[in-house]
């Protein structure tokens, strides 16, 4: 009678070890990524307000351009993990190479679009006459690093699929340090101004991409995998990523609608919204780290024809998501007297942000379930369902959010709509998880 509980505890401990082993380094790498922009901002900010404004506009455009293609990491992780579970490391690396070649093709296309259209893109964001030249300069130079950033995404997916999240952490930290040193040297030492910041970032990005390529190429040679581009494989990678692209675009639309609504509520509301959104994004990194572990672990179990193990891992990760969500929510509540003064001394902004901040805190357990199940279904290669679920979520959220200013409600109501959005996502994901339709075993879905 004691054997089953003991076996259950042993299984849970095994899942816990795997989750921690993959999630902790993944969290470090995720946090390191936005530090690039923060370092650039700190260095360029001393050049002048116009330069900093230009950097802000160009960075927003670049971040959007790259984040749209985050499927290069997600889809590659799932596909590689399945083949690892099936014991075919050669096919796993080959799948990863297809993702890297796709990243190169997309990157070259983005450069071809951004270089000639940079001034028009900057004007579209409403840049002032003084900031526009700096934004254009930074955008044009930094666009040369977009292929490198996309290679990093795809190669990160390869390593995550191989159950390795430590190497991405080391590369991200090294890239952050190199970026800071290069920026200081080129901006001030070489007196290149904002162009020096752009060149420093591009060099750091290509350095990171080069390290990843060395790691992946060595793995390919070790396991006899081909490095040459394969049209069918690249096409399959693009097809697997297309639904995740729809999901990402729908999510970006939700965030843009929320910001647009906050702007209509008034200056204090949009200021408070930006503060809360920055915190919400930071909390998302912690939950996304568990989701990344989910992608790698679930893909491996399904590739190994172990549906029981996949379901058990899913249940344990959901428990982790809820627990981490509760902890994060409590931290937000306890730290709110310290957090808000870091961003503003305006009492009106503080008063506006406080109740909305409580809404964010209370929604964290919901967010924990959403992020974890998102990762589980990505690891299962269930992209079409994720795309459809996110479109449904957007359709529910948009009218509710747009009603907020019409009804004379404030920022708390808007974040209530954001909580509704996460609740709809949770329900759609729970329905799929409980249906078991995502459990498709084998080296390919």
């Amino acid at each position: 009678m004691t054997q089953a509980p003991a076996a259950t505890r042993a299984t849970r401990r095994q899942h816990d070890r795997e989750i921690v082993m993959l999630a902790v380094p993944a969290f470090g790498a995720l946090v390191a990524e936005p530090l690039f922009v923060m370092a650039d901002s700190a260095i360029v900010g001393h050049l002048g307000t116009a330069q900093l404004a230009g950097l802000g506009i160009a960075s927003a455009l670049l971040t959007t351009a790259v984040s749209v293609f985050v499927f290069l990491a997600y889809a590659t992780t799932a596909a590689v993990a399945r083949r690892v579970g099936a014991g075919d490391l050669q096919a796993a690396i080959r799948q990863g190479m297809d993702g890297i070649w796709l990243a190169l093709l997309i990157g070259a296309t983005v450069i071809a679009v951004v270089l000639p259209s940079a001034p028009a893109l900057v004007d579209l964001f409403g840049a002032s006459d003084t900031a526009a030249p700096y934004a254009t300069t930074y955008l044009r130079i930094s666009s040369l690093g977009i292929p490198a950033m996309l290679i990093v995404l795809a190669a990160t997916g390869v390593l995550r699929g191989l159950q390795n999240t430590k190497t991405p952490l080391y590369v991200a930290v090294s890239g952050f340090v190199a970026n800071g040193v290069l920026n200081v040297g080129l901006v001030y030492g070489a007196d290149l101004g904002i162009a020096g910041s752009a060149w420093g970032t591009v060099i750091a990005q290509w350095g990171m991409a080069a390290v990843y390529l060395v790691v992946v190429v060595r793995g390919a040679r070790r396991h006899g995998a081909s490095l040459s581009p394969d049209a069918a494989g690249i096409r399959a990678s693009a097809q697997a990523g297309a639904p995740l692209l729809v999901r990402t675009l729908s999510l970006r639309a939700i965030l843009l609608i929320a910001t647009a609504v906050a702007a209509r509520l008034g200056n204090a509301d949009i200021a408070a919204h930006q503060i809360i959104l920055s915190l919400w994004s930071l909390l998302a990194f912690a939950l996304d780290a568990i989701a990344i572990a989910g992608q790698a672990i679930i893909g491996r179990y399904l590739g190994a024809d172990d549906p029981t193990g996949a379901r058990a891992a899913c249940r344990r990760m959901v428990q982790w998501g809820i627990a981490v969500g509760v902890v994060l929510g409590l931290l937000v509540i306890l730290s709110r007297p310290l957090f808000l003064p870091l961003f503003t001394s305006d009492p009106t902004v503080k008063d506006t942000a406080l109740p909305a901040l409580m809404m964010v805190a209370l929604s964290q357990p919901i967010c924990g379930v959403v992020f974890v199940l998102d990762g589980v279904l990505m690891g299962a290669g269930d992209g079409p369902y994720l795309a459809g679920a996110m479109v449904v979520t957007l359709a529910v959220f948009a009218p509710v959010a747009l009603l907020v200013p019409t009804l004379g409600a404030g920022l708390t109501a808007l974040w209530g709509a954001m909580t509704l959005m996460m609740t709809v996502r949770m329900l759609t994901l729970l329905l799929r998880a409980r249906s078991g339709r995502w459990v498709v075993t084998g080296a390919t879905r």
Side-chain angles (χ1 to χ4, degrees):
M1 295 294 290
T2 59
Q3 201 60 19
T8 300
R9 287 196 297 272
T11 300
R12 286 180 178 175
R13 284 196 295 270
Q14 178 189 345
H15 288 149
D16 290 345
R17 283 195 297 271
E18 286 187 328
I19 292 167
V20 171
M21 182 183 69
L22 293 171
V24 172
F27 174 69
L30 288 169
V31 171
E33 291 172 10
L35 292 178
F36 269 77
V37 177
M38 290 178 64
D40 288 3
S41 299
I43 294 167
V44 171
H46 292 285
L47 294 174
T49 301
Q51 288 91 331
L52 184 58
L55 172 66
I57 293 167
S59 294
L61 286 164
L62 288 164
T63 300
T64 300
V66 174
S67 64
V68 163
F69 300 112
V70 73
F71 70 83
L72 288 167
Y74 294 158
T76 304
T77 297
V80 171
R82 275 184 175 270
R83 286 160 176 79
V84 169
D88 192 347
L89 290 177
Q90 182 185 71
I93 303 262
R94 175 65 261 179
Q95 179 71 41
M97 285 304 305
D98 292 335
I100 290 173
W101 280 112
L102 177 61
L104 272 172
L105 290 173
I106 293 173
T109 303
V110 173
I111 288 179
V113 172
V114 171
L115 279 178
S117 62
L121 291 171
V122 168
D123 287 341
L124 188 65
F125 265 61
S128 66
D129 292 340
T130 53
Y134 296 114
T136 302
T137 296
Y138 192 92
L139 181 59
R140 277 181 165 158
I141 296 172
S142 293
S143 68
L144 301 177
I146 288 177
M149 288 188 279
L150 298 185
I151 289 172
V152 167
L153 282 177
T156 299
V158 176
L159 295 181
R160 287 174 181 170
L162 293 170
Q163 318 296 296
N164 176 2
T165 56
K166 289 183 179 179
T167 299
L169 171 60
Y170 300 148
V171 175
V173 172
S174 300
F176 167 69
V177 173
N179 178 65
V181 172
L182 286 166
N183 268 254
V184 171
L186 294 174
V187 171
Y188 298 110
D191 198 25
L192 293 178
I194 195 170
S197 176
W199 281 117
T201 301
V202 168
I203 294 168
Q205 288 163 345
W206 276 107
M208 292 169 66
V211 172
Y212 273 117
L213 288 174
V214 167
V215 172
V216 174
V217 167
R218 282 179 178 173
R221 288 175 175 169
R222 188 181 309 119
H223 298 289
S226 173
L227 297 173
S228 59
D230 175 65
I234 295 171
R235 187 164 53 250
S237 294
Q239 289 171 347
L244 296 180
L245 176 61
V246 173
R247 169 198 167 276
T248 301
L249 289 173
S250 299
L251 181 57
R252 298 294 298 184
I254 287 170
L255 297 177
L256 286 172
I257 289 170
T259 300
V261 169
R264 291 178 62 188
L265 296 176
N267 289 339
D269 292 87
I270 184 62
H273 176 74
Q274 288 304 113
I275 293 170
I276 295 170
L277 189 61
S278 66
L279 175 63
W280 193 76
S281 300
L282 179 62
L283 297 173
F285 285 134
L287 297 171
D288 203 25
I290 305 174
I292 287 169
Q295 293 170 32
I297 293 170
I298 294 298
R300 191 189 73 231
Y301 273 117
L302 294 177
D305 290 319
D306 187 358
T308 302
R311 290 190 180 94
C314 175
R315 285 193 298 271
R316 191 57 177 163
M317 280 182 282
V318 169
Q319 292 169 358
W320 267 80
I322 294 171
V324 173
V326 169
V327 171
L328 292 177
L330 290 173
L331 287 175
V332 171
I333 293 171
L334 294 174
S335 65
R336 68 190 189 282
L338 302 174
F339 175 74
L340 289 174
L342 291 175
F343 290 87
T344 181
S345 57
D346 188 332
T348 304
V349 175
K350 290 181 183 178
D351 291 342
T352 302
L354 190 58
L357 199 60
M358 292 298 292
M359 186 73 71
V360 170
L362 294 173
S363 69
Q364 285 309 296
I366 296 173
C367 294
V369 176
V370 169
F371 275 84
V372 167
L373 289 181
D374 220 28
V376 166
L377 296 185
M378 284 183 190
D382 206 12
Y385 182 85
L386 288 172
M390 189 60 80
V391 170
V392 169
T393 303
L394 172 60
V396 172
F397 170 78
V400 174
L402 293 173
L403 276 175
V404 169
T406 304
L407 297 175
L411 189 67
T412 304
L414 175 60
W415 276 92
M418 289 287 285
T419 302
L420 171 65
M421 178 269 293
M422 294 303 290
T423 303
V424 172
R425 287 186 69 187
M426 182 181 70
L427 293 174
T428 58
L429 295 174
L430 281 172
L431 283 173
R432 187 63 167 183
R434 290 179 176 176
S435 74
R437 293 178 183 175
W438 58 277
V439 184
V440 179
T441 60
T444 58
R445 183 177 172 88

